[in-house]
Amino acid sequence: MKLFNIRNNLIFDFQRIVKEINPAFFVFENVPEILNVRNDLLYKEWFSGWDGYHVSTHLLNSADYGLAQDRLR
C-alpha cells in the first residue's frame, strides 16, 4: 500500500534498509499519528512486513529521557 504523499512511504524505505542490513535489533521513531485509526491500513502493512523481528509499539516522551522538550514519539 503506497500512499500518494511520498513522505508517508519513507517508512517502507526504512523497512527495506533494515532488512538489507539485518541488524539484531532496531529502534524506529515516528509521530504518534501513525497509530491513528485512519492510518490503519498503512500501519498493518508496515508491521506485517517484519518477518524475523518482534515488533512492538510504545509511546515515549522525550522529556522522560532528559531532553528539553515535551514530545511524544
Side-chain angles (χ1 to χ4, degrees):
M1 169 191 188
K2 300 296 182 181
L3 300 177
F4 293 111
N5 185 338
I6 194 158
R7 291 178 298 162
N8 293 337
N9 293 328
L10 292 174
I11 64 171
F12 295 103
D13 291 332
F14 175 84
Q15 188 177 54
R16 178 184 51 77
I17 291 167
V18 168
K19 287 178 168 184
E20 286 176 12
I21 296 171
N22 196 28
F25 67 92
F26 66 91
V27 176
F28 177 76
E29 175 191 352
N30 207 318
V31 295
E33 287 77 24
I34 194 171
L35 302 176
N36 190 309
V37 172
R38 67 188 161 113
N39 294 320
D40 193 47
L41 292 175
L42 174 72
Y43 175 85
K44 286 180 179 177
E45 181 177 344
W46 192 73
F47 275 86
S48 69
W50 289 107
D51 300 329
Y53 287 97
H54 170 76
V55 178
S56 63
T57 60
H58 301 283
L59 286 178
L60 304 174
N61 188 332
S62 58
D64 295 338
Y65 297 90
L67 294 170
Q69 55 182 292
D70 189 29
R71 179 173 117 163
L72 285 177
R73 290 289 191 222

